[in-house]
Amino acid sequence: MSNSSSFNEFLLLVSAEMQELLLHFSLFLGIYLAALLGNILIITTVACTHHLHTPMYFFLLNLSLLDPGSISTTVPTSMANSLWNTRSISYSGCAAQVFLFAFFMSAEYSLLTIMAYDLYTAICRPLHYRTLMGSRACVKMAAAAWASGFLSAALHTADTFSIPLCQGNALGQFFCEIPQILKLSCSDSCLRETGVLVASLCLVFGCFVFIVLSYVQIFTAVLRIPSEQGRHKAFSMCLPHLVVVSLFLSTAMFAYLKSPSLSSPALDLVVAVLYSVVPPAVNSLIYSMRNKEFKEALRKLIQWVQDQRQ
């Protein structure tokens, strides 16, 4: 990826603009450790519990692999900058950060779409569930989610870093975010940003329509269930996924589609934290808190570890 810019590094948001260095470092460290711990617990519990080897938990395991990758792309660099009171990131490091963040975010969105299909199949077509969601089919769908993330990230990274940058090298964000890089473009950044978004919006809108249609079918089927207990169980299956999807889409869409007139350094920072840091940290909590089967498996796993230590 060639670029006519003369600089070889970017300058991230000044740490002083994010309040005190220690507060910033401590806050991000706490969130980061919580995200890692929560997702490691999910991965370990699902992998070590045989009766959780089902399509739903297989996709949840994949989500728990993507979330730590996503938050590890941005937060450690920001924490290191706060700790050492610096703001520089190399040009290649910035490109790598853009690629990895786009990869994990795109793959996660594709995976959430697949998880909506899994819920639709389980609730609306229960008699065909084992056939449609066999182990081979699940592996293929998960691989497709990871591959789509890679292709989307390659497209966005190549497009972003193929343009000349002549508006300086200071980014108004704590990580290398595509909209902030496009503001440094020599050409009309709005035109370039539109070009970047059009390609991804096709995939985003297609997945969004698929998720909405899946939930229309799901809620229609749930309302036809005669027993209140059956309806409650079905809604409990859907609620964690629905919350995660809503949080993911609402924050990401606001970050990338908000009007330039609404943009300000403080708002951009808050929105970036909401869509890049908060979801990976709370996804594991959302899925585990309302899942009795998972909580019971986790309790048994913790009990087994304690017994081994004695």
Side-chain angles (χ1 to χ4, degrees):
M1 292 177 288
S2 62
N3 197 305
S4 62
S5 307
S6 59
F7 55 86
N8 57 7
E9 67 176 13
F10 288 94
L11 300 178
L12 299 177
L13 189 64
V14 179
S15 299
E17 296 180 15
M18 292 184 277
Q19 306 301 324
E20 297 296 331
L21 297 177
L22 183 59
L23 177 62
H24 170 230
F25 177 81
S26 302
L27 178 63
F28 269 33
L29 178 62
I31 295 174
Y32 184 60
L33 292 178
L36 291 183
L37 178 61
N39 286 287
I40 288 174
L41 283 175
I42 287 181
I43 294 170
T44 305
T45 304
V46 173
C48 297
T49 307
H50 181 72
H51 73 271
L52 295 184
H53 294 177
T54 63
M56 181 182 73
Y57 289 104
F58 171 74
F59 294 130
L60 178 58
L61 186 146
N62 276 266
L63 184 65
S64 297
L65 291 172
L66 290 169
D67 280 336
S70 174
I71 198 171
S72 296
T73 302
T74 58
V75 170
T77 301
S78 181
M79 288 193 300
N81 286 349
S82 295
L83 189 62
W84 300 110
N85 195 18
T86 183
R87 54 185 300 207
S88 64
I89 182 172
S90 67
Y91 187 89
S92 58
C94 186
Q97 194 174 67
V98 167
F99 174 82
L100 290 173
F101 185 71
F103 165 66
F104 287 118
M105 293 289 284
S106 300
E108 181 168 334
Y109 185 49
S110 299
L111 188 66
L112 289 173
T113 306
I114 294 171
M115 293 172 79
Y117 175 72
D118 175 59
L119 287 170
Y120 160 78
T121 307
I123 295 174
C124 300
R125 306 186 65 182
L127 298 179
H128 300 89
Y129 183 77
R130 290 184 178 273
T131 302
L132 294 174
M133 302 301 295
S135 58
R136 212 175 263 187
C138 289
V139 170
K140 288 181 179 179
M141 285 187 281
W146 287 79
S148 66
F150 179 86
L151 293 175
S152 177
L155 172 65
H156 282 75
T157 305
D159 188 51
T160 301
F161 287 91
S162 64
I163 59 176
L165 307 177
C166 59
Q167 303 292 328
N169 64 338
L171 301 176
Q173 196 52 270
F174 69 92
F175 69 101
C176 289
E177 188 185 37
I178 290 178
Q180 296 294 331
I181 297 174
L182 294 177
K183 291 180 180 180
L184 308 179
S185 170
C186 298
S187 57
D188 185 0
S189 62
C190 292
L191 180 62
R192 171 60 67 170
E193 192 168 352
T194 301
V196 172
L197 287 174
V198 164
S200 59
L201 278 178
C202 294
L203 176 63
V204 170
F205 184 72
C207 291
F208 177 75
V209 171
F210 184 88
I211 292 174
V212 170
L213 292 178
S214 296
Y215 270 103
V216 169
Q217 297 285 339
I218 288 170
F219 289 148
T220 302
V222 169
L223 292 176
R224 292 174 181 171
I225 298 176
S227 67
E228 183 178 351
Q229 184 179 1
R231 290 194 298 270
H232 182 268
K233 182 179 179 181
F235 277 123
S236 296
M237 289 175 58
C238 300
L239 186 60
H241 178 266
L242 194 59
V243 172
V244 170
V245 170
S246 300
L247 179 64
F248 182 90
L249 285 180
S250 60
T251 54
M253 291 180 69
F254 183 77
Y256 285 92
L257 299 179
K258 69 179 183 296
S259 172
S261 61
L262 297 176
S263 181
S264 68
L267 180 61
D268 289 346
L269 176 61
V270 171
V271 171
V273 171
L274 286 177
Y275 87 87
S276 66
V277 177
V278 174
V282 302
N283 283 350
S284 58
L285 182 65
I286 293 172
Y287 267 100
S288 59
M289 285 298 290
R290 291 186 57 86
N291 193 314
K292 293 182 179 179
E293 186 180 30
F294 177 83
K295 287 192 290 186
E296 180 63 21
L298 179 60
R299 186 191 65 79
K300 290 181 178 180
L301 179 63
I302 294 174
Q303 183 63 46
W304 180 83
V305 172
Q306 290 176 344
D307 293 340
Q308 294 301 309
R309 290 181 176 179
Q310 294 177 356

